[in-house]
Amino acid sequence: MSAPPRVLTVAGSDSGGGAGIQADLKTMLALGTHGMSVVTAVTAQNSRGVQGAWELPAEAVRAQYRSVVDDIGVQAVKTGMLASAELVETVAELLAATEAPAVVDPVGVSKHGDPLLAASALDSVRTRLLPAATVATPNLDEVAQLTGIRVESEQDLRRAADAVLAYGPRWVLVKGGHLAGDAVDLLTDGSEEHWLRAPRHDNRHTHGTGCTLASAVACGLAKGQSVPEAVTAAKEYVTGAIAAGFALGAGIGPVDHGWRLSGGTPGTPGA
């Protein structure tokens, strides 16, 4: 039997299982791909927040990446928590030498507001990591961190996308989930635009949405889909996962990565 499409996540570990490496691998399995991982940091994390984080040495990150890519090979790479300027630059160098599409989720803070990226690493994200991205997937807080633009309404999304594109990714998906009303995202390469809409579900259990969406996009690219096709399919998958999110612990629970297998409610993205 032939192997399924191979997707590599380069991200931090979430001990609570809702985000990070754990969310990425669940998404990859749910979407019919073979997930592999490069752990960049270990967090002590649960439904209430991040209690501690420890980054791995750059040589450990590089060794994991080379071990996978040089033997097994990859058809798409997704990056998440990279913690420090040194790790950002290490991963950017690895991506630039890999002939596979890269989905960059420029993780800055956790769902609970805990910092996951050193302030000193922001310039490296702008100048080294984003230029290596096939698709960058910032949320509105990350857009503000990277560009200084604060998105207050749907009309601001185009200006925010242009500012991120100026750093060099081929495409940017600005996630408008923090705005009021429907969940509206803008995907653009500077000339082509796709507005993606989905109903906002009344469910506070949304831990892991950003990781899950970026991983789902990487899965689509690994299957040979175009960027707009991969992002549209990922939006549908994550909308259903949010609708089926469940309580876990005393705080914010995770989205349900297996909602299609367990009968969760599907989402319906707009065009």
Side-chain angles (χ1 to χ4, degrees):
M1 294 178 64
S2 59
R6 292 147 290 162
V7 185
L8 176 63
T9 171
V10 184
S13 168
D14 171 4
S15 56
I21 289 280
Q22 287 80 357
D24 297 340
L25 293 175
K26 291 173 187 178
T27 299
M28 292 167 190
L29 179 63
L31 295 181
T33 66
H34 175 69
M36 304 167 291
S37 62
V38 171
V39 179
T40 60
V42 175
T43 69
Q45 188 171 169
N46 56 28
S47 68
R48 294 177 293 180
V50 179
Q51 291 77 47
W54 300 266
E55 67 182 79
L56 269 67
E59 66 225 40
V61 170
R62 186 179 292 107
Q64 291 176 80
Y65 190 100
R66 291 261 60 94
S67 179
V68 170
V69 173
D70 294 347
D71 173 47
I72 300 171
V74 295
Q75 288 157 299
V77 182
K78 175 262 178 182
T79 72
M81 176 186 177
L82 300 181
S84 69
E86 183 181 16
L87 289 186
V88 169
E89 292 170 9
T90 297
V91 171
E93 177 186 335
L94 291 165
L95 291 179
T98 303
E99 292 185 6
V103 180
V104 170
D105 187 14
V107 174
V109 296
S110 74
K111 176 70 68 179
H112 305 85
D114 303 294
L116 298 176
L117 180 72
S120 59
L122 285 173
D123 192 54
S124 295
V125 172
R126 297 183 190 105
T127 62
R128 300 288 303 278
L129 188 64
L130 289 176
T134 306
V135 191
T137 63
N139 63 26
L140 301 187
D141 290 335
E142 290 154 358
V143 166
Q145 264 192 322
L146 292 167
T147 70
I149 293 175
R150 299 206 169 271
V151 175
E152 305 291 344
S153 68
E154 191 175 315
Q155 289 69 36
D156 295 330
L157 290 175
R158 184 177 287 114
R159 184 165 61 98
D162 288 343
V164 177
L165 282 172
Y167 291 120
R170 285 176 47 203
W171 291 81
V172 61
L173 175 67
V174 179
K175 300 177 293 190
H178 293 171
L179 296 174
D182 286 348
V184 180
D185 306 329
L186 172 60
L187 172 70
T188 180
D189 64 353
S191 58
E192 185 179 327
E193 285 188 354
H194 300 267
W195 292 83
L196 300 159
R197 299 176 184 275
R200 185 176 300 279
H201 296 286
D202 184 19
N203 186 354
R204 68 189 290 261
H205 302 302
T206 57
H207 185 48
T209 50
C211 306
T212 299
L213 179 63
S215 292
V217 173
C219 290
L221 296 178
K223 294 175 181 178
Q225 295 174 353
S226 68
V227 170
E229 288 170 340
V231 171
T232 299
K235 173 81 167 180
E236 179 180 2
Y237 170 71
V238 80
T239 299
I242 290 169
F246 51 89
L248 200 67
I252 299 172
V255 301
D256 183 358
H257 298 93
W259 66 270
R260 283 178 172 155
L261 303 175
S262 56
T265 305
T268 308

